[in-house]
Amino acid sequence: MEPLIAVTAIFALALLAPQTSRLLAHRAGWLLSLLPFGLFAWMASLSPAVNADPPKWNQPWVPEIGLNLAFRLDGLALLFGLLITGIGGLVLVYAGEYMKGDPRAGRLLSFLLFFMGSMLGVVLADNLILLFVFWELTSVSSFLLIGFNSDEEGSRRGAIQALVVTGGGGLALLAGLVWMGQAAQTYEISNLPSLAGHPAYAGLFALVAIGCFTKSAQFPFHFWLPNAMKAPTPVSAYLHSATMVKAGVYLLARLSPTLGGTQIWEVTLTAVGGATMVVGGGLALIQYDLKRILAYTTVAALGTLVLALGIGGEKAAGAAMAFLLAHALYKGALFLVAGAVDHGTGTRDIRALSGLARQMPITGFAALLAGLSMLGVAPMGFLAKEMAFEAALSSPLAAVQAGALSLAAVAFAWVAFVVGWRIFRGTPSQPDAHEGSPGLWLGPMVLGLLGVGLGCAPAWLEGFVGSAAANSVMPDYQGHWSLWHGFNLALGLGVGCIVLGLVGARASERAVAWGAERKAVVGCERAYDAAIAGANRLAETFTSLVQSGRLRVYLQTTIGTTLVLLAAAMLRWTPDFPNRPFDVRPHEVLLLIAMLAGVIGAAHSKSRLSAVVILGVVGFGVALTYVLLGAPDLAMTQIAVEILTVILFVLTFIHLPKFQRASTLPTRLGDAAVATVFGAAMGFLCLVASEQRYGEPVSAYFVENSYPLAHGRNIVNVILVDFRGLDTMGEITVLALAGLGVVALWSAKRSGGGASTR
Amino acid sequence: MVGQAVGRWRIYSVILASVARAMLPLLLVFSLFLLWRGHNEPGGGFTGGLVAAAGFALYAMAFQPRSVRRVIRVDLRTLMGAGLLCAAAAGVIGMAQNKPFMTGVWISWQGPEGIAVEIGTPFLFDVGVYLVVFSVTLSIILSKAEER
């Protein structure tokens, strides 16, 4: 079970990251990156096996619902796995240096590793439900990472928005996956048949597509991705460009053989992908924040991938895989460059950046390499773009698809010029700019060089992973990866887009100035805001309707509802009363009288404290009853609870104003009536319940097996920790969560409503 | 007035302080005793945790809530996590032997003169219950007591 061990090891390392960070400070990333790099080497070494016959692993987890710990390393998984571990390792190194001196560095590294394990799980999983579990974990880790600077409003907003959008899509996805599993009669992904002709096809495709489109920031859900840029830059490079946002693309690619090849598929993916490319590419041109520029081009790139998968066929499958790799390399590099620039100059505003090449030569060189790849000139980018254009031109929807591709390519060229060249040329505008430590330029440099180097050996790349990856999308893939395809329309379109983009980039300053004036939120995000505001209004209306804030009303509602339900049940049922003689002993009568006296005394007391103390008589009376009935465990717990309750009451009372009797006599009589009726009803219920026996009570089994099976003579305890241990586990989990909630609320109140939990 | 007397929990009282100082170790030992014997005799992690929390609550009243946090040293939230981890670990140990989650695993030791000690994962589970109940109860009481 190597994949399971790999994922578990990454999660375990995530737990150790804070300590490592404390010990090694900003060098912790170097040590932590050894594990992802090791896994990278392991997966790379499996490449021949993957190309021959993809290895599989399987272990039952909950076989009753078809949920197995099934993993499979095929070409697509290998490509993603290498990106996740390779870029992940570089990002860990980078993040350690980036957060130098920040006490939260360990937490960031821990979250990054948590994400890495989840994402690796997504791509290795060979079971629909297992895949979904990891899928949701990536959403959770993304939420934690976007909201990392939790003291910033924008950061919290971005985190919640990303979680709502991707989590909401996740719900649709879960329904779609379960439906798919039912339709296909298997949850094992590698065994899924083509469902193209299945009657439920349209429904389950729509659900799965919503899950994928939200996750991969497709129009109209694209707005969360630019807002996710509030995360620290290493996170943006890793999650929100290279890996996590590609999970939707991954799943579409993964399910291409199952759901692809239909008209619905082709039209939907072309329309959504194309719209995303145009919207993302267009909005990228008018941003001035480096990270937002890159975020919008990432949106466009994700649209390109969806479009390519929509085209279908061999050429498109190959193009999608090549572009996926090229984009992960150059965009990851550019994000890391943006982080280094931010780190070195303190700003990401392109209007204030120029001439950085002199002060940050290494970063500048890495940016140039990545920019060339994005432009489509450096080999990897060129290869991907050529393949994409050829695929688009050979499809029935060529005009739409090639058109969208051209628009995106122009935008890419434009942006590549701005972020890879212009901010580094000219006269230096930031006198304090400086090159970062090796950890800060190693990542972009390696990714930039790979973007050039891998493209120089397309045949090797194809044999190593490209062909196998395309094969997962398009079975029996027979493509041929090469740089030079002769002078054809695709080449002409590519060159034309580059020229247009570079010419257009001259107008960049004007476009940015135009965009900066317009603070208007895009329509889609406005719809999101309206939906959230509507949900809040609904909740407020409902709350003000049912939550009066008065304890008496709550009690009366609860008790009244119980009584009505009880009465309704009574109407249709005649209970059996116990007909054995009651064996009442004198001391039991005394106890009863004492408890009754306590009740009456508490109701009549003139101070809160005396009421609590007198009520204690009832509590201890109950404890004594337990003793008499042979339940010492319950009695002890009751006594301890009684004591602690008094302490809590006392601590609360010192904050309350002096006790005053505000209720009138009729109100009090009414309360007394409600209390008496309820008490009588509960007593009656206990009495008749003891006579109702449906089947053998389970207690006999517990008594019999407590010692032989569970090695314990205290049955109550054995039930709690063994026979019914799972229940107890749930209870203590709830208890701990409730405790945390109470403490957080009180300390928030203490610190004046702040969010701190200390 | 009763209310004012209650307000004195913050003020140093020699009698209360002496009693609390003497009672705390006794109550803690008693709570551990309850925890240990729980599987065969009345007791267990739940009761034990409550007794230990009550001991510290007494201490918090005699001294300052802050002093309790200092005495415990460990952050109570860490203890909550540790408790849940103990309980989960007790469940997982059985899985290592290819048995379902939460299957009890026991080891026994036969000493001289008929002394026999049996210890199993349910005890570890009970330790988890003890820690969670103790830390949750005490942190609620302490944060209430620290309220101004």
Side-chain angles (χ1 to χ4, degrees):
Chain A
M1 284 307 283
E2 287 92 339
L4 187 61
I5 295 168
V7 170
T8 320
I10 298 177
F11 285 149
L13 197 64
L15 293 178
L16 295 176
Q19 281 73 18
T20 318
S21 173
R22 221 165 288 152
L23 282 175
L24 298 176
H26 61 280
R27 290 174 295 273
W30 295 89
L31 183 68
L32 294 173
S33 69
L34 289 180
L35 178 66
F37 285 140
L39 291 170
F40 180 89
W42 167 66
M43 280 189 278
S45 74
L46 287 178
S47 166
V50 170
N51 278 286
D53 182 27
K56 289 168 88 166
W57 298 265
N58 197 340
Q59 177 165 338
W61 184 8
V62 192
E64 292 82 2
I65 59 166
L67 176 51
N68 296 321
L69 295 170
F71 298 94
R72 181 159 173 263
L73 187 68
D74 65 350
L76 189 62
L78 179 66
L79 177 61
F80 268 93
L82 292 177
L83 287 176
I84 292 162
T85 51
I87 297 183
L90 292 172
V91 164
L92 284 179
V93 170
Y94 184 94
E97 301 279 349
Y98 185 82
M99 299 291 287
K100 188 171 178 177
D102 190 322
R104 300 170 306 164
R107 198 194 303 174
L108 183 71
L109 293 171
S110 179
F111 288 169
L112 281 171
L113 281 161
F114 172 43
F115 164 75
M116 190 189 294
S118 317
M119 188 68 202
L120 197 60
V122 168
V123 299
L124 289 176
D126 192 28
N127 182 290
L128 290 173
I129 308 294
L130 185 66
L131 180 144
F132 180 77
V133 171
F134 286 121
W135 176 284
E136 291 293 276
L137 285 179
T138 63
S139 291
V140 172
S141 51
S142 161
F143 168 78
L144 293 172
L145 285 164
I146 299 170
F148 188 76
N149 296 315
S150 54
D151 46 351
E152 285 174 26
E153 159 114 50
S155 193
R156 294 198 298 271
R157 185 181 137 79
I160 293 172
Q161 194 177 58
L163 189 67
V164 169
V165 174
T166 59
L171 287 178
L173 180 69
L174 177 62
L177 292 180
V178 170
W179 200 354
M180 188 190 296
Q182 296 297 321
Q185 309 219 317
T186 176
Y187 283 94
E188 201 165 317
I189 297 171
S190 52
N191 279 349
L192 286 174
S194 171
L195 293 173
H198 197 276
Y201 174 80
L204 62 90
F205 167 72
L207 289 169
V208 170
I210 289 173
C212 293
F213 291 162
T214 49
K215 190 82 163 180
S216 281
Q218 296 297 298
F219 181 85
F221 308 111
H222 61 281
F223 56 86
W224 73 262
L225 185 56
N227 292 335
M229 292 299 127
K230 294 287 176 191
T233 306
V235 176
S236 309
Y238 189 34
L239 271 76
H240 304 119
S241 121
T243 55
M244 189 199 91
V245 287
K246 295 212 172 79
V249 171
Y250 165 82
L251 192 58
L252 286 174
R254 172 61 77 210
L255 296 174
S256 272
T258 312
L259 298 176
T262 65
Q263 206 172 0
I264 299 181
W265 170 278
E266 197 177 338
V267 171
T268 310
L269 265 60
T270 300
V272 172
T276 310
M277 291 161 80
V278 175
V279 170
L283 291 175
L285 306 183
I286 58 168
Q287 306 295 321
Y288 57 84
D289 180 342
L290 260 183
K291 281 180 76 178
R292 283 184 81 87
I293 298 174
L294 294 173
Y296 276 112
T297 55
T298 304
V299 169
L302 293 166
T304 310
L305 287 165
V306 169
L307 180 89
L309 291 170
I311 296 173
E314 279 195 348
K315 281 183 176 166
M321 294 304 111
F323 184 65
L324 187 113
L325 178 61
H327 176 257
L329 295 177
Y330 76 67
K331 194 56 69 63
L334 285 176
F335 264 112
L336 295 180
V337 164
V341 167
D342 193 7
H343 201 264
T345 67
T347 181
R348 295 194 310 254
D349 188 336
I350 55 165
R351 295 170 300 187
L353 292 169
S354 66
L356 290 173
R358 303 229 182 103
Q359 294 139 315
M360 309 178 70
I362 312 177
T363 307
F365 184 62
L368 180 67
L369 290 178
L372 284 175
S373 193
M374 185 178 188
L375 190 63
V377 172
M380 196 61 224
F382 177 76
L383 177 77
K385 190 153 62 173
E386 285 301 286
M387 291 169 80
F389 269 121
E390 283 194 358
L393 288 173
S394 63
S395 102
L397 295 171
V400 179
Q401 289 160 344
L405 264 179
S406 306
L407 286 176
V410 171
F412 290 163
W414 176 320
V415 168
F417 176 77
V418 172
V419 301
W421 181 259
R422 217 187 63 199
I423 61 171
F424 290 95
R425 308 308 301 175
T427 44
S429 59
Q430 300 283 336
D432 300 332
H434 57 273
E435 192 68 81
S437 56
L440 284 176
W441 53 254
L442 178 80
M445 190 56 98
V446 170
L447 295 177
L449 286 173
L450 279 175
V452 175
L454 286 179
C456 292
W460 176 84
L461 185 63
E462 186 194 353
F464 183 68
V465 63
S467 169
N471 198 37
S472 308
V473 183
M474 181 75 209
D476 303 318
Y477 176 76
Q478 297 289 340
H480 178 60
W481 294 26
S482 66
L483 275 175
W484 186 246
H485 292 222
F487 292 101
N488 55 18
L489 187 56
L491 183 68
L493 271 176
V495 173
C497 292
I498 293 173
V499 172
L500 263 180
L502 293 182
V503 171
R506 294 178 155 272
S508 165
E509 277 171 23
R510 249 173 298 154
V512 169
W514 184 82
E517 278 170 23
R518 274 152 194 79
K519 288 247 154 107
V521 184
V522 197
C524 304
E525 187 169 6
R526 219 176 257 167
Y528 165 87
D529 287 339
I532 297 292
N536 280 337
R537 257 199 311 280
L538 183 70
E540 271 165 28
T541 315
F542 189 72
T543 307
S544 60
L545 215 63
V546 293
Q547 304 281 351
S548 66
R550 293 168 65 191
L551 194 57
R552 175 187 280 126
V553 177
Y554 291 147
L555 277 175
Q556 281 171 348
T557 313
T558 313
I559 291 173
T561 313
T562 314
L563 284 176
V564 168
L565 288 176
L566 203 60
M570 286 296 159
L571 286 179
R572 293 187 284 138
W573 168 68
T574 341
D576 305 322
F577 285 94
N579 57 1
R580 53 177 184 271
F582 285 106
D583 178 21
V584 184
R585 285 168 291 175
H587 56 269
E588 290 173 351
V589 178
L590 279 177
L591 190 61
L592 189 69
I593 292 171
M595 284 163 71
L596 273 176
V599 170
I600 294 164
H604 277 278
S605 80
K606 297 223 166 17
S607 90
R608 295 193 185 90
L609 189 69
S610 57
V612 168
V613 172
I614 300 171
L615 210 55
V617 173
V618 182
F620 282 103
V622 171
L624 213 53
T625 315
Y626 288 144
V627 174
L628 293 176
L629 296 177
D633 285 276
L634 280 179
M636 278 196 300
T637 311
Q638 173 72 28
I639 291 171
V641 168
E642 203 59 46
I643 293 169
L644 291 166
T645 314
V646 170
I647 292 177
L648 271 178
F649 269 129
V650 167
L651 291 175
T652 311
F653 289 166
I654 53 176
H655 297 290
L656 293 179
K658 198 167 149 38
F659 180 74
Q660 282 181 327
R661 184 152 285 163
S663 51
T664 56
L665 186 65
T667 324
R668 289 168 62 76
L669 285 178
D671 290 349
V674 169
T676 313
V677 172
F678 186 60
M682 292 321 277
F684 169 76
L685 203 61
C686 287
L687 210 58
V688 296
S690 65
E691 282 305 295
Q692 310 303 316
R693 280 281 152 85
Y694 303 101
E696 277 298 296
V698 71
S699 50
Y701 171 86
F702 289 151
V703 172
E704 206 171 296
N705 291 301
S706 175
Y707 193 71
L709 284 185
H711 302 249
R713 272 181 288 266
N714 179 359
I715 301 165
V716 177
N717 187 261
V718 167
I719 292 173
L720 281 177
V721 300
D722 201 328
F723 289 146
R724 287 272 181 269
L726 204 59
D727 295 357
T728 311
M729 180 89 104
E731 282 153 17
I732 57 174
T733 311
V734 171
L735 185 66
L737 287 175
L740 282 178
V742 170
V743 172
L745 282 176
W746 264 326
S747 43
K749 193 179 155 201
R750 197 163 58 240
S751 60
S756 164
T757 54
R758 291 210 174 264
Chain B
M1 270 303 288
V2 181
Q4 283 161 347
V6 172
R8 288 181 61 184
W9 67 270
R10 255 191 269 265
I11 298 165
Y12 190 76
S13 146
V14 180
I15 299 172
L16 187 58
S18 314
V19 170
R21 193 173 284 165
M23 284 300 281
L24 180 61
L26 277 179
L27 283 169
L28 285 183
V29 170
F30 181 57
S31 78
L32 289 176
F33 165 73
L34 285 176
L35 167 67
W36 171 250
R37 79 204 286 256
H39 214 55
N40 291 311
E41 311 282 339
F46 196 90
T47 320
L50 287 178
V51 168
F56 277 109
L58 182 65
Y59 199 82
M61 295 198 146
F63 301 93
Q64 296 278 322
R66 240 182 317 131
S67 66
V68 173
R69 296 212 192 260
R70 207 164 44 235
V71 167
I72 298 177
R73 284 158 193 261
V74 192
D75 190 329
L76 286 172
R77 289 172 297 180
T78 313
L79 277 186
M80 288 182 207
L84 287 180
L85 214 58
C86 277
V92 173
I93 288 173
M95 290 170 81
Q97 303 185 346
N98 267 334
K99 287 174 188 159
F101 182 65
M102 294 290 298
T103 307
V105 178
W106 290 86
I107 48 170
S108 57
W109 176 74
Q110 292 288 334
E113 298 171 30
I115 298 171
V117 176
E118 265 193 322
I119 191 156
T121 51
F123 179 69
L124 182 62
F125 188 87
D126 223 7
V127 172
V129 174
Y130 177 95
L131 286 175
V132 172
V133 170
F134 166 71
S135 50
V136 169
T137 315
L138 190 58
S139 53
I140 290 177
I141 288 176
L142 286 185
S143 50
K144 191 70 207 162
E146 281 158 357
E147 196 182 8
R148 270 158 225 280

